[in-house]
Amino acid sequence: MELLDLLSFLKASKIKHESPQDSAITRDINRTFPAHDYFKDTGGDGQDSLYKICKAYSVYDEEIGYCQGQSFLAAVLLLHMPEEQAFSVLVKIMFDYGLRELFKQNFEDLHCKFYQLERLMQEYIPDLYSHFLDISLEAHMYASQWFLTLFTAKFPLYMVFHIIDLLLCEGISVIFNVALGLLKTSKDDLLLTDFEGALKFFRVQLPKRYRSEENAKKLMELACNMKISQKKLKKYEKEYHTMREQQAQQEDPIERFERENRRLQEANMRLEQENDDLAHELVTSKIALRKDLDNAEEKADALNKELLMTKQKLIDAEEEKRRLEEESAQLKEMCRRELDKAESEIKKNSSIIGDYKQICSQLSERLEKQQTANKVEIEKIRQKVDDCERCREFFNKEGRVKGISSAKEVLDEDTDEEKETLKNQLREMELELAQTKLQLVEAECKIQDLEHHLGLALNEVQAAKKTWFNRTLSSIKTATGVQGKETC
């Protein structure tokens, strides 16, 4: 059937057809990759698409219908392509690659595959083959799912994807390569087991070993390097059919039916055991998922609470930041006003000091000029005294008055008046000089006082600057520290 016909059939089967195996399909859907995100939700997109494909195939292939394990193969295909393409590839594998032959005629072709596997073990792994004979372990007891589900039911998906790729490229005989690879890599462990231990190893320990991608990669390399000729498989197949014909000729029909019945009972028990294992895995997975979901919800609640607390702390921190910014602005404004005031006072004091210095300078200049004028005047008087013969009699060379006795003898009323006048002028000059010196001293005192006040003002301004800077720096550090703690 062409691809378009298959797609049309798939769409039609969803609407018009009912499947006789609908209950079995529904039961298996919930057990197919229950831990995978795409298939874990009951009624989700993954399970819905998987149900449609399995139902469509059961209607499409009425001879085989739906067989247990097909859901795993369909699920693997769904993980790589849309459901229409997955259905087409499933039909291709079942018909063109011969997988459906394993389910026909009471699984006769499947038992042929078991015989071929045991003959390959006898050739490639003879010691393990002998050990299995000793413990009565037959291939159908451990390899059924390998052939019927193409290793999809138990092994990790990244390993299954490689196997499906090889199958699509090389054919169904790839199953023998992978099976022999599994047996070879597990030989040392299997040689130490008894019958029950071997079955448990195949059911539990073997799939766990290949959860490591490195082990899976080594297995696939070993399987690809293993050369199994089609001629040899045909030979073993012919041996099996010859053996079956001989058994049919020699065996009583009742015994044959009894043996077939026992084999079917064993297969049924094995399938029931596998079904119980899958159901246990499903329950365990659901419990684990429920716990994970509860833990996730608790963590989400805790994170929401932490988020609310963090938001509240952030709001408080922002309010504190605004308050500190306002205080900082007020402090800056106050300090700016104080600074402007201090600078104004400094300018005023500097102006006063400059005026005092200018006054003192003018007084010093006047004093110096007065002293110079006095010296000139004294020098003129001395010159006049030296030029006057009468005056020389009363003054010595240094300009001082001679003895009183001699003065009285020489002086007359005119000289007394002149002398008195000179003395008065001299006293006035000395008094003026003393007053000038006093004013100079007073000016220097005032200058020192102003310089002292200026130094105090400068110290106060400097202290105010330092105090404001320290307060501002402390406020900023406190705010930063609070925000840092809240953030942590």
Side-chain angles (χ1 to χ4, degrees), residues 29-76:
I29 292 302
N30 294 322
R31 299 174 180 175
T32 304
F33 299 134
H36 196 282
D37 291 338
Y38 188 55
F39 300 106
K40 67 181 181 182
D41 296 329
T42 302
D45 293 340
Q47 288 196 7
D48 183 58
S49 297
L50 188 58
Y51 171 77
K52 292 174 183 176
I53 292 177
C54 293
K55 176 184 174 182
Y57 186 82
S58 68
V59 175
Y60 177 78
D61 188 358
E62 295 180 354
E63 181 183 3
I64 301 299
Y66 173 80
C67 298
Q68 189 178 26
Q70 280 183 355
S71 59
F72 286 97
L73 178 57
V76 170

Side-chain angles (χ1 to χ4, degrees), residues 350-388:
S350 298
S351 177
I352 293 171
I353 291 169
D355 292 342
Y356 272 104
K357 285 183 177 180
Q358 187 176 1
I359 292 169
C360 292
S361 177
Q362 291 174 357
L363 289 173
S364 297
E365 289 177 359
R366 284 178 60 188
L367 180 60
E368 289 176 359
K369 289 178 181 180
Q370 189 67 39
Q371 287 177 346
T372 304
N374 289 339
K375 286 180 182 179
V376 172
E377 189 67 28
I378 291 170
E379 191 63 34
K380 286 180 180 179
I381 293 170
R382 284 179 180 175
Q383 189 66 36
K384 288 180 181 181
V385 171
D386 289 341
D387 292 341
C388 182

Side-chain angles (χ1 to χ4, degrees), residues 145-158:
Q145 281 194 345
W146 295 358
F147 287 93
L148 295 177
T149 68
L150 303 180
F151 303 93
T152 57
K154 289 286 187 181
F155 292 92
L157 283 173
Y158 49 81

Side-chain angles (χ1 to χ4, degrees), residues 78-95:
L78 266 177
L79 292 174
H80 287 82
M81 60 194 76
E83 60 185 56
E84 289 84 359
Q85 295 180 13
F87 174 72
S88 300
V89 175
L90 176 63
V91 172
K92 188 80 171 175
I93 291 174
M94 294 294 290
F95 280 84

Side-chain angles (χ1 to χ4, degrees), residues 335 464-474:
C335 290
K465 285 183 179 179
K466 289 182 178 178
T467 304
W468 169 80
F469 180 75
N470 290 333
R471 287 174 59 188
T472 305
L473 186 60
S474 300

Side-chain angles (χ1 to χ4, degrees), residues 127-141:
D127 48 353
L128 185 61
Y129 173 76
S130 300
H131 179 68
F132 281 2
L133 287 179
D134 294 338
I135 62 175
S136 302
L137 184 67
E138 299 176 4
H140 68 86
M141 298 178 181

Side-chain angles (χ1 to χ4, degrees), residues 198-216:
L199 290 179
K200 184 177 180 181
F201 180 86
F202 282 114
R203 189 172 64 252
V204 179
Q205 293 175 309
L206 186 62
K208 284 184 178 180
R209 174 175 293 178
Y210 294 99
R211 291 177 184 174
S212 165
E213 291 193 31
E214 183 178 356
N215 290 341

Side-chain angles (χ1 to χ4, degrees), residues 313-330:
K313 289 180 180 179
L314 182 60
I315 292 170
D316 295 340
E318 288 177 349
E319 291 179 355
E320 183 68 17
K321 180 183 176 183
R322 283 195 298 270
R323 187 181 64 80
L324 290 173
E325 286 177 349
E326 290 174 359
E327 289 183 1
S328 176
Q330 291 175 359

